[in-house]
Amino acid sequence: MLLLSGKDVENLLSMEEAINVMEEAFLKYANKDFVMPERTFTKVKEELFYSKL
């Protein structure tokens, strides 16, 4: 399991990269060209972590 904090995400992805990825994701969604797994959120020590299973 990979756990990423908000700060981890900020350090790994620039705003420009995030915008480009979101644009691509919305285009795939609009064209029904996607598979959307269920998201899992876990709260650890009062900080929200995003987990990918």
Side-chain angles (χ1 to χ4, degrees):
M1 179 181 342
L2 176 64
L3 296 176
L4 298 174
S5 69
K7 192 53 89 177
D8 291 332
V9 174
E10 289 176 14
N11 290 332
L12 292 170
L13 194 64
S14 72
M15 183 57 71
E16 182 178 353
E17 290 170 315
I19 290 169
N20 289 338
V21 167
M22 289 304 299
E23 179 181 19
E24 182 180 340
F26 281 126
L27 287 171
K28 286 184 177 282
Y29 183 77
N31 293 319
K32 299 187 186 326
D33 181 24
F34 66 96
V35 175
M36 189 177 299
E38 186 174 324
R39 288 196 234 166
T40 303
F41 293 93
T42 306
K43 194 157 184 127
V44 180
K45 293 185 182 179
E46 300 302 318
E47 187 171 341
L48 183 61
F49 282 83
Y50 302 95
S51 63
K52 179 180 179 185
L53 301 177

Coordinates of all heavy atoms in Angstrom, one line a residue:
M1 N 0.9 -1.2 0.0 CA 0.0 0.0 0.0 C 0.9 1.2 0.0 O 1.9 1.3 0.7 CB -0.9 0.0 1.2 CG -1.8 1.2 1.3 SD -2.9 1.4 2.7 CE -3.0 -0.2 3.5
L2 N 0.5 2.2 -0.8 CA 1.2 3.5 -0.9 C 0.4 4.6 -0.2 O -0.7 4.8 -0.5 CB 1.5 3.9 -2.3 CG 2.1 5.2 -2.6 CD1 3.6 5.2 -2.0 CD2 2.2 5.5 -4.1
L3 N 1.0 5.2 0.8 CA 0.3 6.3 1.5 C 1.0 7.6 1.2 O 2.2 7.7 1.3 CB 0.4 6.1 3.0 CG -0.3 4.9 3.6 CD1 -0.1 4.8 5.1 CD2 -1.8 5.0 3.3
L4 N 0.2 8.6 0.7 CA 0.8 9.9 0.4 C 0.0 11.0 1.2 O -1.2 11.0 1.2 CB 0.6 10.2 -1.1 CG 1.3 9.2 -2.1 CD1 0.9 9.6 -3.5 CD2 2.8 9.3 -1.9
S5 N 0.8 11.9 1.8 CA 0.2 13.0 2.4 C 0.0 14.1 1.4 O 0.5 14.0 0.3 CB 1.1 13.5 3.6 OG 2.3 14.1 3.0
G6 N -0.7 15.1 1.8 CA -0.9 16.3 0.9 C 0.4 16.9 0.5 O 0.7 17.3 -0.6
K7 N 1.4 17.0 1.5 CA 2.7 17.5 1.2 C 3.5 16.7 0.3 O 4.2 17.2 -0.6 CB 3.4 17.7 2.5 CG 4.7 18.5 2.5 CD 4.5 19.8 1.9 CE 4.2 20.9 2.9 NZ 4.0 22.2 2.3
D8 N 3.3 15.3 0.4 CA 4.0 14.4 -0.6 C 3.5 14.7 -2.0 O 4.4 14.8 -2.9 CB 3.6 12.9 -0.3 CG 4.3 12.4 1.0 OD1 5.3 12.9 1.4 OD2 3.6 11.5 1.6
V9 N 2.2 14.9 -2.2 CA 1.7 15.1 -3.5 C 2.2 16.5 -4.0 O 2.6 16.6 -5.2 CB 0.2 15.1 -3.5 CG1 -0.4 15.5 -4.8 CG2 -0.4 13.7 -3.1
E10 N 2.3 17.5 -3.2 CA 2.8 18.8 -3.6 C 4.2 18.7 -4.0 O 4.6 19.4 -5.0 CB 2.7 19.8 -2.4 CG 1.3 20.2 -2.1 CD 1.2 21.1 -0.9 OE1 2.3 21.6 -0.5 OE2 0.1 21.3 -0.4
N11 N 5.0 17.9 -3.4 CA 6.4 17.7 -3.7 C 6.7 16.9 -4.9 O 7.7 17.0 -5.6 CB 7.2 17.1 -2.5 CG 7.3 18.1 -1.3 OD1 7.3 19.3 -1.5 ND2 7.4 17.5 -0.2
L12 N 5.7 16.1 -5.3 CA 5.9 15.2 -6.4 C 5.3 15.7 -7.8 O 5.7 15.2 -8.8 CB 5.2 13.8 -6.1 CG 5.9 13.0 -5.0 CD1 5.0 11.8 -4.7 CD2 7.2 12.5 -5.5
L13 N 4.4 16.6 -7.7 CA 3.7 17.0 -8.9 C 3.6 18.6 -8.9 O 3.1 19.2 -8.0 CB 2.3 16.4 -8.8 CG 1.4 16.4 -10.1 CD1 2.1 15.5 -11.1 CD2 0.1 15.8 -9.7
S14 N 4.1 19.2 -10.0 CA 3.9 20.6 -10.2 C 2.5 21.0 -10.5 O 1.7 20.1 -11.0 CB 4.8 21.1 -11.3 OG 4.4 20.7 -12.5
M15 N 2.1 22.2 -10.3 CA 0.8 22.6 -10.6 C 0.5 22.4 -12.1 O -0.6 22.0 -12.5 CB 0.5 24.1 -10.2 CG -0.9 24.6 -10.5 SD -2.2 23.6 -9.7 CE -1.9 24.1 -8.0
E16 N 1.5 22.8 -13.0 CA 1.3 22.6 -14.4 C 1.0 21.1 -14.8 O 0.2 20.8 -15.6 CB 2.5 23.1 -15.2 CG 2.4 23.0 -16.7 CD 3.6 23.5 -17.4 OE1 4.5 24.1 -16.8 OE2 3.6 23.3 -18.7
E17 N 1.8 20.2 -14.1 CA 1.6 18.8 -14.4 C 0.2 18.3 -13.9 O -0.5 17.6 -14.6 CB 2.7 17.9 -13.7 CG 4.0 18.1 -14.3 CD 5.1 17.4 -13.4 OE1 5.1 17.6 -12.2 OE2 6.0 16.7 -14.0
A18 N -0.2 18.8 -12.8 CA -1.5 18.5 -12.2 C -2.6 18.9 -13.2 O -3.6 18.2 -13.4 CB -1.7 19.1 -10.8
I19 N -2.5 20.1 -13.7 CA -3.5 20.7 -14.6 C -3.6 19.8 -15.9 O -4.7 19.4 -16.3 CB -3.3 22.1 -14.9 CG1 -3.5 23.0 -13.7 CG2 -4.1 22.6 -16.1 CD1 -3.1 24.4 -13.8
N20 N -2.4 19.4 -16.4 CA -2.4 18.6 -17.6 C -3.0 17.2 -17.4 O -3.7 16.7 -18.2 CB -0.9 18.5 -18.1 CG -0.4 19.8 -18.7 OD1 -1.1 20.6 -19.1 ND2 0.9 19.9 -18.7
V21 N -2.7 16.7 -16.2 CA -3.2 15.3 -15.9 C -4.7 15.4 -15.8 O -5.5 14.5 -16.2 CB -2.5 14.8 -14.7 CG1 -3.3 13.6 -14.1 CG2 -1.1 14.4 -14.9
M22 N -5.2 16.4 -15.1 CA -6.7 16.6 -14.9 C -7.4 16.8 -16.2 O -8.5 16.3 -16.5 CB -7.0 17.7 -13.9 CG -6.6 17.4 -12.5 SD -7.4 15.9 -11.9 CE -9.1 16.3 -12.0
E23 N -6.8 17.6 -17.1 CA -7.4 17.8 -18.4 C -7.5 16.5 -19.2 O -8.5 16.2 -19.8 CB -6.5 18.8 -19.3 CG -7.0 19.0 -20.6 CD -6.2 20.0 -21.5 OE1 -5.0 20.2 -21.1 OE2 -6.7 20.5 -22.4
E24 N -6.4 15.7 -19.2 CA -6.5 14.4 -19.8 C -7.5 13.5 -19.2 O -8.3 12.8 -19.9 CB -5.1 13.7 -19.7 CG -5.0 12.4 -20.4 CD -3.6 11.7 -20.3 OE1 -2.7 12.4 -20.0 OE2 -3.6 10.5 -20.4
A25 N -7.6 13.5 -17.8 CA -8.6 12.7 -17.1 C -10.0 13.1 -17.5 O -10.9 12.2 -17.8 CB -8.4 12.8 -15.6
F26 N -10.3 14.4 -17.6 CA -11.7 14.8 -17.9 C -12.0 14.5 -19.4 O -13.1 14.1 -19.7 CB -11.8 16.4 -17.7 CG -12.0 16.7 -16.3 CD1 -11.2 17.7 -15.7 CD2 -13.0 16.2 -15.5 CE1 -11.4 18.0 -14.4 CE2 -13.3 16.5 -14.2 CZ -12.4 17.5 -13.6
L27 N -11.0 14.5 -20.3 CA -11.3 14.1 -21.7 C -11.6 12.6 -21.7 O -12.5 12.2 -22.5 CB -10.0 14.4 -22.5 CG -9.8 15.9 -22.9 CD1 -8.5 16.1 -23.5 CD2 -11.0 16.5 -23.7
K28 N -10.8 11.8 -21.0 CA -11.1 10.4 -21.0 C -12.5 10.1 -20.4 O -13.2 9.3 -20.9 CB -10.0 9.6 -20.2 CG -8.7 9.5 -20.9 CD -7.7 8.7 -20.1 CE -6.5 8.5 -20.9 NZ -6.6 7.5 -21.9
Y29 N -12.9 10.9 -19.3 CA -14.2 10.7 -18.7 C -15.3 11.1 -19.7 O -16.3 10.4 -19.9 CB -14.3 11.6 -17.5 CG -15.5 11.4 -16.7 CD1 -15.8 10.3 -15.9 CD2 -16.5 12.4 -16.8 CE1 -17.0 10.2 -15.2 CE2 -17.7 12.3 -16.1 CZ -17.9 11.2 -15.3 OH -19.1 11.0 -14.7
A30 N -15.1 12.2 -20.4 CA -16.1 12.6 -21.4 C -16.3 11.6 -22.5 O -17.4 11.5 -23.0 CB -15.7 14.0 -22.0
N31 N -15.2 10.9 -22.9 CA -15.2 9.9 -24.0 C -15.5 8.5 -23.5 O -15.5 7.6 -24.2 CB -13.9 9.9 -24.7 CG -13.7 11.2 -25.5 OD1 -14.6 11.8 -26.1 ND2 -12.5 11.7 -25.4
K32 N -15.9 8.4 -22.2 CA -16.2 7.1 -21.5 C -15.0 6.1 -21.7 O -15.2 4.9 -21.9 CB -17.5 6.6 -22.0 CG -18.7 7.5 -21.7 CD -20.0 6.8 -22.0 CE -21.2 7.7 -21.8 NZ -21.2 8.7 -20.8
D33 N -13.8 6.6 -21.7 CA -12.6 5.8 -21.9 C -11.8 5.7 -20.6 O -10.7 6.2 -20.5 CB -11.7 6.5 -23.0 CG -10.5 5.7 -23.3 OD1 -10.4 4.5 -23.1 OD2 -9.5 6.3 -23.8
F34 N -12.4 5.1 -19.6 CA -11.8 5.1 -18.3 C -12.3 3.9 -17.4 O -13.4 3.4 -17.7 CB -12.1 6.4 -17.5 CG -13.5 6.6 -17.1 CD1 -14.0 6.2 -15.9 CD2 -14.4 7.1 -18.0 CE1 -15.3 6.3 -15.5 CE2 -15.7 7.3 -17.7 CZ -16.2 6.9 -16.4
V35 N -11.6 3.6 -16.4 CA -12.0 2.6 -15.4 C -11.7 3.3 -14.1 O -10.7 3.8 -13.8 CB -11.1 1.3 -15.4 CG1 -11.5 0.4 -14.3 CG2 -11.3 0.6 -16.8
M36 N -12.8 3.4 -13.3 CA -12.7 4.2 -12.0 C -12.8 3.3 -10.8 O -13.8 2.9 -10.5 CB -13.7 5.3 -12.0 CG -13.5 6.3 -10.8 SD -14.7 7.6 -10.7 CE -14.5 8.4 -12.3
P37 N -11.6 3.0 -10.2 CA -11.6 2.1 -9.0 C -12.2 2.9 -7.8 O -12.2 4.1 -7.8 CB -10.2 1.7 -8.8 CG -9.4 2.8 -9.4 CD -10.2 3.3 -10.6
E38 N -12.6 2.2 -6.8 CA -13.1 2.8 -5.6 C -12.0 3.5 -4.9 O -10.9 2.9 -4.8 CB -13.8 1.8 -4.7 CG -14.4 2.3 -3.5 CD -15.2 1.3 -2.7 OE1 -15.7 0.3 -3.3 OE2 -15.1 1.4 -1.5
R39 N -12.2 4.7 -4.4 CA -11.1 5.4 -3.6 C -11.2 5.0 -2.2 O -12.3 4.9 -1.6 CB -11.3 6.9 -3.7 CG -11.0 7.5 -5.1 CD -10.8 9.0 -4.9 NE -11.6 9.6 -5.9 CZ -11.9 10.9 -5.9 NH1 -11.5 11.6 -5.0 NH2 -12.7 11.4 -6.8
T40 N -10.1 5.0 -1.5 CA -10.0 4.7 -0.1 C -9.3 5.8 0.6 O -8.2 6.2 0.2 CB -9.2 3.4 0.1 OG1 -9.8 2.3 -0.6 CG2 -9.1 3.0 1.6
F41 N -9.9 6.4 1.6 CA -9.3 7.5 2.4 C -9.1 6.9 3.8 O -10.0 6.3 4.4 CB -10.1 8.7 2.4 CG -10.2 9.4 1.1 CD1 -11.3 9.1 0.2 CD2 -9.3 10.3 0.6 CE1 -11.4 9.6 -1.1 CE2 -9.4 10.8 -0.6 CZ -10.4 10.5 -1.5
T42 N -7.9 7.2 4.4 CA -7.6 6.8 5.7 C -7.1 8.0 6.5 O -6.3 8.7 6.1 CB -6.5 5.7 5.7 OG1 -6.9 4.7 4.8 CG2 -6.2 5.1 7.0
K43 N -7.6 8.1 7.7 CA -7.2 9.2 8.6 C -6.2 8.6 9.6 O -6.5 7.7 10.3 CB -8.4 9.8 9.3 CG -8.1 11.1 10.0 CD -9.4 11.9 10.2 CE -9.0 13.2 10.7 NZ -9.5 14.3 10.0
V44 N -5.0 9.2 9.6 CA -3.9 8.8 10.5 C -3.4 10.0 11.3 O -2.9 11.0 10.7 CB -2.8 8.2 9.7 CG1 -1.6 7.7 10.6 CG2 -3.3 7.0 8.8
K45 N -3.5 9.9 12.6 CA -3.0 11.0 13.5 C -3.4 12.4 13.0 O -2.6 13.3 12.8 CB -1.5 10.9 13.6 CG -1.0 9.7 14.3 CD 0.5 9.8 14.4 CE 1.0 8.5 15.1 NZ 2.5 8.6 15.2
E46 N -4.7 12.6 12.8 CA -5.3 13.9 12.5 C -4.8 14.5 11.2 O -5.0 15.6 10.9 CB -5.0 14.9 13.6 CG -5.6 14.5 14.9 CD -7.1 14.2 14.9 OE1 -7.8 15.0 14.3 OE2 -7.5 13.2 15.5
E47 N -4.2 13.7 10.3 CA -3.8 14.2 9.0 C -4.4 13.3 8.0 O -4.4 12.1 8.1 CB -2.3 14.2 8.8 CG -1.8 14.9 7.5 CD -0.3 15.1 7.5 OE1 0.3 15.1 8.5 OE2 0.2 15.3 6.3
L48 N -5.0 13.8 6.9 CA -5.6 13.0 5.9 C -4.6 12.5 4.9 O -3.8 13.2 4.4 CB -6.6 13.9 5.1 CG -7.4 13.1 4.0 CD1 -8.3 12.0 4.7 CD2 -8.3 14.1 3.3
F49 N -4.6 11.1 4.8 CA -3.7 10.5 3.9 C -4.5 9.8 2.8 O -5.6 9.4 3.0 CB -2.9 9.4 4.6 CG -1.7 9.9 5.4 CD1 -1.9 10.3 6.7 CD2 -0.4 9.9 4.9 CE1 -0.9 10.8 7.4 CE2 0.6 10.3 5.6 CZ 0.4 10.8 6.9
Y50 N -4.0 9.8 1.5 CA -4.6 9.2 0.4 C -3.9 7.9 0.2 O -2.7 7.8 0.1 CB -4.5 10.1 -0.8 CG -5.1 11.4 -0.7 CD1 -4.3 12.5 -0.3 CD2 -6.5 11.6 -0.8 CE1 -4.8 13.8 -0.1 CE2 -7.0 12.9 -0.6 CZ -6.2 13.9 -0.3 OH -6.7 15.2 -0.1
S51 N -4.7 6.8 0.2 CA -4.1 5.5 0.0 C -4.6 4.9 -1.3 O -5.7 5.0 -1.6 CB -4.4 4.6 1.2 OG -5.8 4.4 1.3
K52 N -3.7 4.2 -1.9 CA -4.0 3.5 -3.1 C -3.7 2.0 -2.9 O -2.6 1.6 -2.5 CB -3.1 3.9 -4.3 CG -3.4 3.2 -5.6 CD -2.5 3.7 -6.7 CE -2.7 3.0 -8.0 NZ -1.8 3.4 -9.0
L53 N -4.8 1.2 -3.0 CA -4.7 -0.2 -2.7 C -4.5 -1.0 -4.0 O -4.9 -0.6 -5.0 CB -5.9 -0.8 -2.0 CG -6.2 -0.1 -0.7 CD1 -7.5 -0.6 -0.1 CD2 -5.1 -0.3 0.3

